[in-house]
Amino acid sequence: MKLDRMLGILTILLQNDRVTAPYLAEKFEVNRRTIGRDIDALCQAGIPIVTYQGTGGGISIAEGFKLDKSILTAGELSDIIAALKGIGSVSEQSQIERTLDKLGANADAVVSMHEPIVIDLASHYKGYLTEKIETIKCAILAGRLIEFDYYYGKGESHRCIEPYLVIFQWTSWYVFGFCTKRQDWRMFKLNRLWNLSQSAEQYAMRDIPPDKRDFNSHFKDDIKLTALFDRSVKHHLIEAYGPDCYYETTEGLYFDIGFTNRSYMISWLLSFGDKVKILDPPDMISEIQTIAKNILSIYSC
């Protein structure tokens, strides 16, 4: 945090002719003595900072001293701001807001804070999601195991893992780590993860194998589906998989694609009601028939 704070102080001094110690203390939520020590450390690092006493006094960088503020281009800074706003939708706001404030503190900032891109990574249960991400992040930084109950297609299980990364991929949040139960690297979906806690037990960091760093490998679309959709649902197919996911026939829209998750695929197909007919695989046709019969029996009573 000290290094982050010092970089923040330096950024503010570069963007302002003169600021006061109380202003910096309030900005970084520390006391004036801490700001004084940070200023001394910056001076020792070779940054010529001058302090002025009395009315109109304050802290500034000496005249004639210049740092190149174009290390990042306007486009790169714009991308950083957009990304920070997205992370802010699932993280504690205070630190994100302070960082954004540093990037665009005044009117002559390199890039406008009014970034025309909105990224909202939160889900309908944002409060729980934020809490989970913060807990996992703290555990990673402290090198501590985490424990949780996990709900998936085969039932429920209690897991203990060495957390390494929090990942957003394929519209969902995951934690990636080494599972002590399976003795292998695993990804766990945060939506299915509850009763999360940080363990007192610490772990030694492992090197993540290169093949495990390919996170797309955890989402293999090896479940093949062939189906015929009614033309009236064309927009739904395009929204989900793009305009090249089907081709038109005299009978309707011929759809042939691979899926990662079978249960999701079944639910997705059922959402189309009578606007889709499965052509392959046969076992999926049988499963849909069984579900349809069960639904009919519920409403036949």
Side-chain angles (χ1 to χ4, degrees):
M1 280 300 296
K2 179 179 180 180
L3 179 58
D4 292 342
R5 189 172 60 249
M6 288 170 61
L7 288 173
I9 292 172
L10 181 58
T11 301
I12 290 173
L13 291 175
L14 284 168
Q15 294 177 338
N16 297 273
D17 291 334
R18 191 175 300 183
V19 296
T20 65
Y23 170 82
L24 293 174
E26 180 180 357
K27 194 80 170 173
F28 294 97
E29 299 178 0
V30 295
N31 56 44
R32 293 177 60 179
R33 184 174 298 178
T34 297
I35 294 297
R37 288 196 293 265
D38 289 341
I39 296 298
D40 290 340
L42 286 170
C43 290
Q44 292 172 10
I47 309 298
I49 296 177
V50 180
T51 57
Y52 301 89
Q53 303 298 322
T55 304
I59 305 167
S60 67
I61 294 180
E63 290 291 335
F65 183 81
K66 180 181 178 181
L67 285 179
D68 184 3
K69 293 193 283 184
S70 63
I71 296 173
L72 296 175
T73 66
E76 289 168 336
L77 281 171
S78 181
D79 290 342
I80 290 172
I81 289 171
L84 284 171
K85 286 181 177 180
I87 293 298
S89 67
V90 291
S91 297
E92 296 294 338
Q93 289 292 319
S94 57
Q95 184 59 46
I96 297 294
E97 288 168 352
R98 283 199 297 269
T99 305
L100 285 170
D101 193 39
K102 295 170 195 172
L103 286 173
N106 59 14
D108 66 354
V110 179
V111 63
S112 171
M113 291 299 292
H114 299 293
E115 169 61 45
I117 298 175
V118 176
I119 304 173
D120 190 348
L121 300 177
S123 71
H124 65 279
Y125 74 120
K126 176 183 175 181
Y128 291 111
L129 181 62
T130 300
E131 184 180 330
K132 289 176 183 178
I133 291 175
E134 289 299 319
T135 298
I136 295 169
K137 184 173 71 174
C138 290
I140 293 171
L141 294 174
R144 296 185 183 278
L145 298 171
I146 58 172
E147 296 183 55
F148 50 85
D149 293 327
Y150 197 65
Y151 300 82
Y152 61 118
K154 296 181 180 179
E156 306 171 14
S157 66
H158 186 76
R159 297 296 181 96
C160 180
I161 72 167
E162 302 170 3
Y164 282 78
L165 297 167
V166 175
I167 300 168
F168 182 81
Q169 191 160 3
W170 285 54
T171 74
S172 297
W173 286 92
Y174 299 83
V175 57
F176 174 77
F178 189 82
C179 178
T180 59
K181 182 177 181 179
R182 302 298 184 190
Q183 286 296 296
D184 198 2
W185 299 91
R186 291 285 191 272
M187 284 182 69
F188 298 92
K189 197 171 187 176
L190 295 195
N191 286 29
R192 300 177 180 175
L193 181 160
W194 295 94
N195 300 321
L196 172 66
S197 64
Q198 182 181 149
S199 170
E201 183 180 350
Q202 293 190 294
Y203 64 93
M205 295 293 288
R206 305 171 188 262
D207 291 328
I208 304 175
D211 61 314
K212 300 296 183 180
R213 284 188 173 274
D214 179 13
F215 300 119
N216 284 321
S217 66
H218 296 268
F219 302 96
K220 297 177 181 178
D221 53 355
D222 53 2
I223 304 173
K224 301 301 179 182
L225 168 73
T226 304
L228 192 66
F229 285 85
D230 188 87
R231 288 183 177 83
S232 63
V233 299
K234 179 192 294 187
H235 63 290
H236 288 301
L237 298 182
I238 292 174
E239 179 184 350
Y241 296 101
D244 298 325
C245 68
Y246 66 88
Y247 65 85
E248 296 207 30
T249 70
T250 55
E251 297 177 292
L253 308 177
Y254 187 86
F255 181 87
D256 188 4
I257 202 168
F259 276 77
T260 298
N261 187 301
R262 180 186 173 87
S263 62
Y264 168 79
M265 178 167 56
I266 294 291
S267 299
W268 183 71
L269 288 167
L270 288 171
S271 70
F272 288 92
D274 61 354
K275 303 301 182 184
V276 59
K277 179 182 179 180
I278 302 170
L279 304 178
D280 197 60
D283 65 314
M284 193 162 293
I285 296 173
S286 298
E287 186 171 348
I288 291 290
Q289 288 174 335
T290 300
I291 293 172
K293 289 176 182 177
N294 290 339
I295 292 173
L296 182 61
S297 68
I298 291 173
Y299 290 99
S300 298
C301 297

